[in-house]
Amino acid sequence: MIYIPRKIIKRQAIVVLVLSFLIALLVYTGGDWRVEGQIKEPEQVEAISAFAPHRIIKNAVVYAYTSRVEETDGDLFTTASGEKVRTGIVANNCLEFGTKVDINGFVYEVKDRMNRRYTDCDGQWYFDIWMDDLAEARKWGKKTTDILVYVPQD
């Protein structure tokens, strides 16, 4: 009989357990375990194919907001365009409603407006991503990034 130290057996059992968990996770999620809200939804991917890249906004400031009284005007769950808030909405004061923008690889649609003090369309650009979770919005914080703006194709 071959003697195998208990430490090795424990390590092998842990490795098998971890691998089993990862395989189960891949099977359960269909291979995509990213955080919800950061995944391009099928309708967003299909919708963006009808749009063409128009321009790049350099060094735009991007915040995140939620439907709290402290962060909104009027109805907490209705955007300035009249639509209900949902994942994939972004606020901006300079682009028309319905404009699609790519922020860090994720497509958002302009459906809301920001406070008047964020209207400097010739200088600094500001965007505000709607999130349903305050902790996630705070985690996002304030980021400066380049944004790709799309316009409908003719």
Side-chain angles (χ1 to χ4, degrees):
M1 183 188 276
I2 300 174
Y3 173 73
I4 302 174
R6 285 186 176 179
K7 285 184 178 179
I8 293 176
I9 292 173
K10 286 182 181 178
R11 285 183 191 148
Q12 288 175 340
I14 290 171
V15 168
V16 168
L17 184 64
V18 169
L19 288 175
S20 298
F21 173 76
L22 291 174
I23 290 170
L25 181 65
L26 285 171
V27 169
Y28 177 75
T29 62
D32 196 349
W33 60 87
R34 292 177 290 180
V35 177
E36 184 179 333
Q38 295 183 353
I39 300 171
K40 286 186 180 179
E41 298 170 1
E43 60 268 17
Q44 288 179 313
V45 175
E46 291 169 13
I48 203 65
S49 64
F51 288 72
H54 174 64
R55 66 182 288 193
I56 296 176
I57 298 171
K58 296 283 189 181
N59 301 316
V61 177
V62 183
Y63 300 98
Y65 73 106
T66 61
S67 294
R68 295 187 318 147
V69 173
E70 300 90 341
E71 300 177 74
T72 59
D73 293 332
D75 184 353
L76 301 180
F77 299 99
T78 304
T79 65
S81 66
E83 291 190 20
K84 294 294 181 190
V85 293
R86 61 174 167 76
T87 301
I89 283 183
V90 67
N92 177 267
N93 293 346
C94 302
L95 297 173
E96 293 180 23
F97 289 140
T99 303
K100 307 268 188 190
V101 295
D102 185 313
I103 301 173
N104 289 347
F106 301 104
V107 178
Y108 298 90
E109 187 174 7
V110 176
K111 289 290 184 179
D112 209 357
R113 296 292 183 222
M114 299 175 73
N115 186 290
R116 227 183 336 227
R117 69 178 174 266
Y118 296 106
T119 306
D120 181 10
C121 302
D122 295 324
Q124 182 65 58
W125 283 74
Y126 297 94
F127 291 83
D128 212 355
I129 298 172
W130 182 85
M131 295 186 177
D132 64 350
D133 183 46
L134 180 60
E136 285 297 314
R138 286 184 173 157
K139 183 178 173 183
W140 176 276
K142 173 184 175 183
K143 296 183 180 184
T144 302
T145 187
D146 294 345
I147 294 179
L148 182 59
V149 179
Y150 291 92
V151 295
Q153 293 181 355
D154 293 332

